[in-house]
Amino acid sequence: MNTIAYPQTKKEPVTDTYFGTAVSDPYRWLEDDRSAETKAWVQAENKVTQHYLEAIPYRQDIKKRLETLWNYEKYSAPFKESKYTYFYKNDGLQNQAVLYRQVDDGEPEVFLDPNTFSADGTTSLAGISFTKDGSLAAYQLSEGGSDWRKVIVIKTGDKAIVGDTLIDVKFSDIAWHGNDGFYYSSYDKPKEGSQLSGMTQHHKLYYHKLGTSQREDKLVFGGETTPRRYIGAWLTEDQRFLAITAANSTSGNELYIRDLSKPGSPIVPVITGFDTNNELVDNQGSTLYIYTNLNAPNYRLVTVDAANPGQQNWKDLIPQTRQVLTISTGGGKLFTHYLKDAISQVKQYDMNGKLEHEIQLPGVGTASGFHAKKHEKNLYFTFTSYIYPATIFKYDIATGRSVLYKKSGVKFNPGLYESKQVFYTSKDGTRIPMIITHKKGIPLNGKNPTLLYGYGGFNVSLTPAFSVSTIILLEQGGVYAVPNLRGGGEYGEEWHIAGTKLHKQNVFDDFIAAAEYLISNHYTSSAYLAISGGSNGGLLVGAAMTQRPELFRVALPAVGVLDMLRYHQFTAGAGWAYDYGTAEDSKEMFDYLYRYSPYHALKNGVSYPATLVTTADHDDRVVPAHSFKFAARLQEYQHGTAPVLIRIETKAGHGAGKSTAQIIDEQTDKWAFMLHNMGLDFKQQD
């Protein structure tokens, strides 16, 4: 491979001092996403990256194969609103899925087509909420992938717009109160500096009355009196209770209620403090059903009377078990979703906690859905695994029986592949599950191209799910491996906490041990091993490649959190401190973060893996400055000829709402870069 002529990235003498330690940050200027210099740097880096990728001889073959695989009709599970059944459908290569509706078995009609929102398909439908009678809907728009949204209200009958468009809404659901108006949440837009990277500190819950100006919206919760970083609102189906969740980080929240059946009723605390997660999932009259991990790290469902909702009055309805619990409701029933080693098990209970059905799933994998209104007789769920394309089933609530509703149209034969769960031992002896997927009969000779994907944070569980893009790897005789690292939610809050703050190294150790397992069992070797992850998973990749650069051939950190000393100073980053801690917390916390922070852990003259950093210019969740600074320093320090490239998507954000064209282009570049840097050809498929 030829030596790449990287753009000259200027360095400026910037130093911060933490607890007596001076930390150099010469690429600080790249944090200014509005400057002409940063824009010029982005263009120069993209030019080098595109030149490199265009020279890979089979890049277009991969793109054509992906377009062929992607080109099938994709459906969401349907949902009912009044007389209509709504569902999303993508004809194949449409940039955005279209929202359709139909009456009973009648002909479906287009309700909202996001492909008409912008010429290039980068404006997406980011959520929709209907009034209880289904006559009005409020939908959110995201432009260029930004987390900032617009909200448009329409009459569902003729789609006529009602009132003004709301602007500057962020991290919000829409909770309708009758047809009068709705609750929503947002921040004050940053007044100084960048709209994309400026800090968003205090969330506020507002009530918008239809037909009035947004300027007149009433503040319901938050602001000066109760400053909180994340505030959400939800109404019970009978519209009696407004439930408010309030949090300062991504884990742990307060729960409040207001009885809307009594005019002027106060907002009442159910549980305060941020040590536990709490959610109101349903009510029957004045009885509240609360999902919580208070005194139950694997979660439980409790009931309490709304007149005296304090935790001292909570009664277990569905107690904690050894498996992690989540809850949904439908048809006046409770559906418990348990994770056993990241695999779904679902049961149906009545509202008194009596077991009615254990739901038969079509295999070992992930079931999702099980939501419906109380009067419905049926609901829908989706089932998937790494070799089971997402399939929709219709479920009869009375009998507990399921029938196939919509089969996936993807051209993939599961019979040719196998997906098995193994357990391996991490550095400290902890047992970690991992699912390994590949074509049946591949030789275990250490030469299979392998992608090791991980996340490990924020209580997020990585459960088996089919990916069209991954077919590219599997068809080439490759291996796809996904371990369930500490920091995730697969084994409850204790598993989560074991991968946070001063235990974060456990996550990286778990990931590195997964790589060593794959090598020692001859699935692959370092010459054929790539690692991938996004957001917190981008941090994971950055930490693993800086700690064990010789272990991996290719690294693919996507929209990563890579500067652990400054992450909390951008957008909503301060809310991640529950998982990470901050450099200002203590000398011990600073030293710990400084040691593993990928941007700071890079060393001059080390041979790092071939690296393709990916980010987007509109990412206002994990700002692109993380990736910019990391790529600049890695290009400066890299020893040898392994390329260090950064691919910066324009008119895109953290990931949600990307157009199909953008997704296919990015996946094409990922697979082409990976295979090319392993010295492998791309085998054409029939």
Side-chain angles (χ1 to χ4, degrees):
M1 272 170 251
N2 297 325
T3 304
I4 300 170
Y6 298 114
Q8 286 294 311
T9 306
K10 74 169 183 176
K11 297 169 74 173
E12 294 180 344
V14 176
T15 303
D16 296 312
T17 302
Y18 300 85
F19 301 98
T21 300
V23 178
S24 173
D25 189 4
Y27 298 115
R28 176 79 56 87
W29 63 274
L30 285 168
E31 291 179 2
D32 185 356
D33 53 66
R34 300 167 304 151
S35 79
E37 280 186 306
T38 301
K39 190 175 181 182
W41 182 87
V42 166
Q43 290 172 339
E45 289 285 350
N46 267 344
K47 190 174 178 183
V48 169
T49 298
Q50 288 308 315
H51 180 73
Y52 179 94
L53 293 169
E54 284 164 4
I56 297 174
Y58 45 72
R59 182 188 184 213
Q60 286 306 309
D61 294 332
I62 292 176
K63 182 173 181 178
K64 282 180 193 157
R65 183 62 185 149
L66 274 172
E67 286 176 340
T68 299
L69 290 168
W70 227 281
N71 196 7
Y72 68 95
E73 290 185 338
K74 302 166 198 69
Y75 291 85
S76 75
F79 58 96
K80 293 287 288 292
E81 299 292 346
S82 185
K83 67 179 182 179
Y84 290 105
T85 298
Y86 290 84
F87 63 92
Y88 291 90
K89 176 189 168 189
N90 188 309
D91 286 344
L93 296 175
Q94 286 177 291
N95 277 321
Q96 303 287 341
V98 178
L99 182 58
Y100 289 82
R101 69 179 178 185
Q102 65 190 92
V103 179
D104 300 326
D105 296 323
E107 191 67 25
E109 63 169 344
V110 172
F111 183 64
L112 285 174
D113 183 358
N115 298 292
T116 64
F117 295 168
S118 61
D120 58 3
T122 60
T123 298
S124 60
L125 179 59
I128 187 165
S129 176
F130 293 82
T131 54
K132 188 178 181 184
D133 69 3
S135 66
L136 295 167
Y139 65 91
Q140 299 188 48
L141 291 184
S142 167
E143 295 170 324
S146 172
D147 280 334
W148 292 100
R149 311 279 197 245
K150 292 178 178 175
V151 178
I152 297 171
V153 179
I154 57 173
K155 296 177 183 175
T156 57
D158 58 7
K159 299 177 220 170
I161 293 177
V162 179
D164 295 335
T165 296
L166 272 61
I167 60 169
D168 298 341
V169 175
K170 187 171 183 177
F171 296 159
S172 180
D173 291 322
I174 302 294
W176 281 97
H177 183 218
N179 292 15
D180 179 70
F182 53 81
Y183 298 88
Y184 71 95
S185 313
S186 197
Y187 302 92
D188 295 334
K189 262 268 182 94
K191 288 188 173 60
E192 296 178 13
S194 169
Q195 299 288 333
L196 286 173
S197 60
M199 282 184 77
T200 45
Q201 273 289 71
H202 297 140
H203 224 189
K204 297 175 182 177
L205 180 65
Y206 293 97
Y207 183 74
H208 175 70
K209 184 175 173 59
L210 278 195
T212 66
S213 164
Q214 187 177 1
R215 289 190 304 275
E216 299 170 45
D217 291 352
K218 290 191 175 64
L219 178 68
V220 177
F221 190 89
E224 300 288 323
T225 51
T226 45
R228 301 288 184 268
R229 194 168 281 117
Y230 306 111
I231 297 172
W234 176 78
L235 260 70
T236 52
E237 193 175 327
D238 62 4
Q239 300 264 298
R240 176 170 173 182
F241 293 104
L242 170 69
I244 301 171
T245 57
N248 280 331
S249 70
T250 50
S251 193
N253 70 278
E254 300 174 317
L255 177 63
Y256 299 84
I257 58 166
R258 171 178 272 173
D259 189 341
L260 299 177
S261 68
K262 300 170 184 169
S265 64
I267 293 172
V268 176
V270 177
I271 184 167
T272 55
F274 306 105
D275 295 331
T276 58
N277 295 312
N278 310 278
E279 179 186 343
L280 178 63
V281 296
D282 206 351
N283 73 303
Q284 278 199 310
S286 65
T287 300
L288 308 177
Y289 291 73
I290 297 169
Y291 168 71
T292 181
N293 66 350
L294 175 69
N295 301 324
N298 288 351
Y299 292 87
R300 59 185 171 136
L301 186 69
V302 302
T303 57
V304 70
D305 191 274
N308 296 288
Q311 64 194 65
Q312 68 275 12
N313 300 316
W314 292 5
K315 293 188 181 72
D316 274 12
L317 187 72
I318 297 175
Q320 174 183 229
T321 70
R322 291 179 62 191
Q323 274 80 49
V324 181
L325 168 71
T326 53
I327 292 276
S328 63
T329 61
K333 307 293 182 181
L334 299 165
F335 291 87
T336 63
H337 187 160
Y338 293 99
L339 276 189
K340 180 168 172 37
D341 300 325
I343 306 300
S344 290
Q345 297 176 336
V346 185
K347 299 177 181 179
Q348 176 182 319
Y349 290 83
D350 70 11
M351 298 304 287
N352 297 314
K354 180 188 169 196
L355 178 64
E356 293 184 334
H357 303 296
E358 291 198 30
I359 288 132
Q360 297 302 305
L361 300 176
V364 174
T366 304
S368 58
F370 299 99
H371 295 281
K373 295 188 169 58
K374 288 188 176 179
H375 63 271
E376 298 292 348
K377 306 290 186 224
N378 300 293
L379 53 73
Y380 300 86
F381 69 90
T382 303
F383 184 83
T384 184
S385 79
Y386 293 118
I387 57 172
Y388 194 106
T391 303
I392 304 168
F393 292 86
K394 186 175 185 178
Y395 176 79
D396 185 301
I397 296 167
T399 64
R401 292 198 187 93
S402 306
V403 293
L404 177 66
Y405 178 77
K406 274 277 192 297
K407 189 178 178 184
S408 172
V410 67
K411 295 177 179 68
F412 177 80
N413 181 359
L416 300 178
Y417 301 89
E418 61 180 282
S419 190
K420 66 179 180 181
Q421 189 169 58
V422 300
F423 292 84
Y424 65 91
T425 304
S426 190
K427 184 177 181 180
D428 64 356
T430 301
R431 189 168 175 258
I432 312 290
M434 173 163 62
I435 296 180
I436 303 172
T437 305
H438 55 78
K439 199 179 270 187
K440 288 178 179 174
I442 62 165
L444 296 183
N445 58 8
K447 294 184 177 178
N448 303 304
T450 297
L451 185 71
L452 176 63
Y453 176 83
Y455 188 78
F458 296 94
N459 204 29
V460 171
S461 299
L462 284 192
T463 60
F466 187 80
S467 160
V468 176
S469 174
T470 306
I471 300 174
I472 292 287
L473 176 64
L474 300 179
E475 287 180 338
Q476 299 298 308
V479 175
Y480 184 60
V482 183
N484 295 108
L485 313 171
R486 280 175 284 185
E490 292 87 352
Y491 293 104
E493 187 59 13
E494 290 172 0
W495 192 253
H496 171 214
I497 294 298
T500 61
K501 292 182 179 162
L502 297 171
H503 306 294
K504 187 67 180 175
Q505 184 61 39
N506 286 336
V507 186
F508 314 141
D509 290 342
D510 292 354
F511 197 56
I512 289 164
E516 291 171 334
Y517 176 93
L518 293 167
I519 292 168
S520 63
N521 285 276
H522 310 295
Y523 286 97
T524 193
S525 57
S526 291
Y528 299 99
L529 179 56
I531 50 174
S532 171
S535 196
N536 174 72
L539 162 63
L540 172 69
V541 170
M545 67 180 280
T546 52
Q547 292 180 16
R548 293 291 302 276
E550 83 294 345
L551 195 56
F552 316 106
R553 186 60 172 265
V554 175
L556 302 164
V559 292
V561 187
L562 299 163
D563 181 344
M564 298 309 295
L565 302 187
R566 287 175 60 77
Y567 76 86
H568 56 296
Q569 297 186 30
F570 304 107
T571 63
W576 312 335
Y578 184 94
D579 258 55
Y580 296 149
T582 75
E584 285 89 22
D585 288 349
S586 66
K587 185 177 188 307
E588 182 186 28
M589 193 70 249
F590 158 71
D591 288 341
Y592 195 88
L593 288 166
Y594 188 36
R595 193 161 55 246
Y596 80 73
S597 174
Y599 173 60
H600 302 95
L602 290 166
K603 294 182 174 62
N604 203 353
V606 172
S607 293
Y608 290 102
T611 303
L612 178 63
V613 179
T614 52
T615 187
D617 65 349
H618 276 60
D619 191 341
D620 44 14
R621 188 98 44 95
V622 180
V623 294
H626 285 276
S627 296
F628 294 175
K629 290 163 61 175
F630 181 76
R633 182 170 271 176
L634 184 53
Q635 286 177 350
E636 178 193 357
Y637 285 175
Q638 176 73 310
H639 178 72
T641 58
V644 174
L645 303 175
I646 180 166
R647 184 187 187 282
I648 305 150
E649 187 79 69
T650 56
K651 296 186 78 172
H654 197 57
K658 269 188 188 172
S659 70
T660 297
Q662 286 175 318
I663 294 167
I664 289 175
D665 284 345
E666 184 177 358
Q667 295 303 307
T668 295
D669 291 346
K670 179 183 82 172
W671 295 124
F673 182 85
M674 173 181 153
L675 294 171
H676 184 60
N677 281 285
M678 292 174 178
L680 298 172
D681 287 327
F682 178 74
K683 304 183 205 73
Q684 295 277 11
Q685 302 298 308
D686 296 330

